Amino acid sequence: QLQLVESGGGLVQPGGSLRLSCVASGFTLDGYVIGWFRQAPGKEREGVSCINRSGGMSNYADSVKGRFTISRDNAKNTVYLQMNSLKPEDTGVYYCAAGSGVLSFTLSLRPEPYRTWGQGTQVTVSS
């Protein structure tokens, strides 16, 4: 069974940092573009960042550029999202998702092309 599991969420004060992890089971991540998405209460799911199969290219939403960094360790079947300088508006449930390698050409941050999703991890930024 193909499965993605996110971890690393929690409660953090504004200006703080968190590192999210996304681990795959039942398949190897190196054949897939991996995206991070988030959804705040009452809002649509939005793309945060994605990374190509090798890890050599990535894309970020304007709202997180310069603060978030996506990376992957294919040997560990894991993708990370390092989040620094967190703001209250970063609060939400964060999901990782796997998309086909063709996404490497667009590095889309739209959720529709991604077919396998994790259950999400809650990130709350509050004082």
Side-chain angles (χ1 to χ4, degrees):
Q1 183 179 359
L2 308 183
Q3 191 174 10
L4 293 171
V5 179
E6 304 94 337
S7 63
L11 173 63
V12 64
Q13 292 186 342
S17 298
L18 285 173
R19 188 176 81 156
L20 305 184
S21 298
C22 170
V23 180
S25 61
F27 68 109
T28 55
L29 280 180
D30 59 3
Y32 296 86
V33 171
I34 304 299
W36 282 99
F37 298 81
R38 66 187 180 190
Q39 189 164 19
K43 293 188 177 181
E44 292 186 354
R45 190 170 298 188
E46 64 170 344
V48 174
S49 182
C50 64
I51 190 167
N52 71 343
R53 290 182 294 176
S54 68
M57 294 181 64
S58 57
N59 191 19
Y60 296 90
D62 288 343
S63 58
V64 306
K65 280 181 181 176
R67 300 188 298 122
F68 290 11
T69 303
I70 191 170
S71 62
R72 66 191 300 160
D73 185 339
N74 287 337
K76 294 183 178 180
N77 225 23
T78 302
V79 174
Y80 305 97
L81 185 68
Q82 177 68 42
M83 306 187 297
N84 298 329
S85 302
L86 283 162
K87 304 175 181 180
E89 51 263 44
D90 294 318
T91 294
V93 179
Y94 281 69
Y95 302 88
C96 65
S100 69
V102 69
L103 280 169
S104 291
F105 295 101
T106 61
L107 292 178
S108 174
L109 291 178
R110 295 186 60 84
E112 294 85 356
Y114 294 81
R115 299 305 178 92
T116 301
W117 290 78
Q119 294 299 308
T121 185
Q122 176 70 46
V123 172
T124 302
V125 184
S126 175
S127 56

